[in-house]
């Protein structure tokens, strides 16, 4: 099941009227977002930026995108003193990280909600595919209803535990040669909750957050491969084999996260996978670090050769 996106920001009113309204559907419905988006920016350039919570450990320059076409993804620097367009190229290796089942135990919290609210009892081992309607033996419409009720519950806002080892590994990676970003399929309706959760558990580690808006009740969606290609992410860490195959076919390296080999849905088909050599299965965050250490020199050398050739 897909998950969600954001546009917390400030911009000059003129820029909001011309640009932000075309991308941020919350501007028409949420007074808070509308007020933030139409605030006068201290910057001399017409651009919008995201708020940077003081709780972030390394006070990074955070960017987020939750709508529009892949070509419209903004490169925006968002520190409090410098708001301007920023190129997405970086000397560090850019790695995209999924949220659910990679950073947090979404299914664990969802199963608790289903049991408490509907008397439905499921464990992680029951999900042979990450499509809830098929697991719950119900219509897609009813499945969507249950999930969006879950989004409104404390099970979602406060009950998603982190994946063991993720914080420690990501802290080491962020201090090395890697630039970490989030690329999630989550929907726009839970974008603020998602950012709050990331701030609480992984504050200061991610430079950008991108939302695909998959399985949403409204709004456009974007492929993960499109987002990764546009923002220059060379590696995606994801638990979903469909996204892994999609990105590998687009030439993006994937670390397919199958925690302790216990994710039934996180298995590649025996045949028919394009560029299968670009997909490596990892079973914990220690293995993520090991695989990235092997990949980094190859990818950086390839990028240098490409730049020399151009």
């Amino acid at each position: 099941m897909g998950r969600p996106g954001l546009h917390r920001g400030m911009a000059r009113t003129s820029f909001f009227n011309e640009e932000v309204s075309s991308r941020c559907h919350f501007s028409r419905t949420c007074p808070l977002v509308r007020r933030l988006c139409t605030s006068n920016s201290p910057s001399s350039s017409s651009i919008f930026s995201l708020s940077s919570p003081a709780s972030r450990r390394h006070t990074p320059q955070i960017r987020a995108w939750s709508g529009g076409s892949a070509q419209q993804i903004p490169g925006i620097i968002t520190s409090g003193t410098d708001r301007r367009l920023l190129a997405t190229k970086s000397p560090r290796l850019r790695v995209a990280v999924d949220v659910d089942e990679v950073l947090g135990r979404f299914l664990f919290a969802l199963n608790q909600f289903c049991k408490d609210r509907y008397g439905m009892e499921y464990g992680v081992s029951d999900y042979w595919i990450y499509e809830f309607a098929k697991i719950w033996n119900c219509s897609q419409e009813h499945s969507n209803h249950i999930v969006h009720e879950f989004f409104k519950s404390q099970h979602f806002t406060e009950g998603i535990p982190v994946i063991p080892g993720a914080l420690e590994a990501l802290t080491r990676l962020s201090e090395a040669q890697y630039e970490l970003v989030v690329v999630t399929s989550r929907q726009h309706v839970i974008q603020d909750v998602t950012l709050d959760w990331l701030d609480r558990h992984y504050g200061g580690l991610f430079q950008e957050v991108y939302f695909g808006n998959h399985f949403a009740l409204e709004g456009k969606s974007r492929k993960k491969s499109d987002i990764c290609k546009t923002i220059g992410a060379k590696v995606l860490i994801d638990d979903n084999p469909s996204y892994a195959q999609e990105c590998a076919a687009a030439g993006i390296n994937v670390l397919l996260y199958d925690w302790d080999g216990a994710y039934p849905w996180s298995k590649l088909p025996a045949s028919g996978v394009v560029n299968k050599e670009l997909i490596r299965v990892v079973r914990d965050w220690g293995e993520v670090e090991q695989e990235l250490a092997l990949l980094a020199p190859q990818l950086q050398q390839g990028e240098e050769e490409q730049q020399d050739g151009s």
Side-chain angles (χ1 to χ4, degrees):
M1 172 58 64
R3 310 105 155 169
L6 153 86
H7 264 296
R8 289 178 183 169
M10 294 189 295
R12 290 188 173 186
T13 303
S14 60
F15 180 77
F16 167 79
N17 291 336
E18 297 172 5
E19 297 291 341
V20 177
S21 61
S22 67
R23 289 197 292 264
C24 181
H25 68 275
F26 280 95
S27 63
R28 297 180 178 86
T29 58
C30 178
L32 174 61
V33 172
R34 183 165 60 249
R35 177 170 58 82
L36 289 174
C37 287
T38 56
S39 299
N40 288 327
S41 170
S43 169
S44 60
S45 61
S46 294
I47 197 63
F48 70 91
S49 67
L50 304 180
S51 58
S52 297
S55 62
R56 298 186 189 278
R57 285 191 206 80
H58 309 302
T59 58
Q61 295 162 341
I62 303 298
R63 289 178 284 178
W65 172 81
S66 63
S69 67
Q71 289 75 20
Q72 292 175 320
I73 294 177
I76 301 165
I77 192 167
T78 60
S79 63
T81 58
D82 191 3
R83 297 179 175 86
R84 54 186 169 80
L85 287 175
L86 179 71
T88 56
K89 290 185 178 180
S90 169
R92 307 173 78 196
L93 181 64
R94 179 167 288 197
V95 177
V97 185
D98 182 33
V99 175
D100 298 317
E101 318 314 336
V102 175
L103 295 177
R105 299 173 62 189
F106 182 93
L107 268 186
F108 173 85
L110 176 61
N111 287 337
Q112 292 295 315
F113 169 79
C114 287
K115 181 179 179 180
D116 293 346
R117 179 70 63 86
Y118 299 102
M120 300 160 52
E121 294 199 35
Y122 293 94
V124 170
S125 61
D126 294 317
Y127 291 80
W128 57 271
I129 188 171
Y130 214 84
E131 296 180 24
F132 302 150
K134 293 181 179 179
I135 304 303
W136 300 338
N137 194 28
C138 65
S139 67
Q140 186 63 53
E141 182 181 4
H142 186 57
S143 170
N144 289 342
H145 171 76
I146 292 175
V147 172
H148 281 75
E149 287 300 307
F150 168 58
F151 290 161
K152 301 173 186 177
S153 73
Q154 287 189 334
H155 290 83
F156 177 70
T157 58
E158 301 176 9
I160 298 180
V162 298
I163 297 291
L167 175 62
E168 295 79 6
L170 287 164
T171 299
R172 289 189 291 268
L173 291 171
S174 70
E175 294 170 351
Q177 73 267 40
Y178 305 96
E179 183 177 78
L180 305 173
V181 300
V182 167
V183 174
T184 175
S185 60
R186 282 189 170 195
Q187 302 94 358
H188 298 163
V189 294
I190 51 172
Q191 56 193 5
D192 288 332
V193 177
T194 299
L195 291 179
D196 289 341
W197 186 88
L198 288 170
D199 283 338
R200 288 199 307 273
H201 298 292
Y202 297 99
L205 296 179
F206 294 105
Q207 300 296 307
E208 304 163 6
V209 178
Y210 296 92
F211 298 86
N213 198 38
H214 299 180
F215 297 94
L217 299 182
E218 62 178 21
K220 295 181 179 180
S221 64
R222 302 305 307 178
K223 291 182 178 180
K224 285 195 174 185
S225 57
D226 287 348
I227 298 174
C228 288
K229 294 283 281 189
T230 303
I231 67 175
K234 303 299 182 182
V235 183
L236 171 68
I237 306 171
D238 204 295
D239 65 297
N240 192 316
S242 296
Y243 296 138
Q245 293 177 77
E246 170 198 319
C247 288
I252 300 165
N253 283 270
V254 181
L255 300 184
L256 183 58
Y257 196 86
D258 183 5
W259 186 22
D260 287 342
Y263 287 171
W265 66 87
S266 190
K267 316 297 181 188
L268 289 171
S271 61
V273 180
V274 178
N275 294 338
K276 190 174 183 178
E277 70 278 3
L278 297 183
I279 304 175
R280 296 165 175 80
V281 177
V282 290
R283 300 194 174 200
D284 56 45
W285 273 94
E287 291 189 5
V288 169
E289 290 184 272
Q290 294 171 16
E291 291 295 340
L292 284 177
L294 294 173
L295 278 172
Q298 305 171 28
L299 294 175
Q300 289 173 332
Q301 181 180 359
E303 191 165 330
E304 289 172 1
E305 292 175 352
Q306 186 177 12
Q307 290 175 351
D308 293 340
S310 60

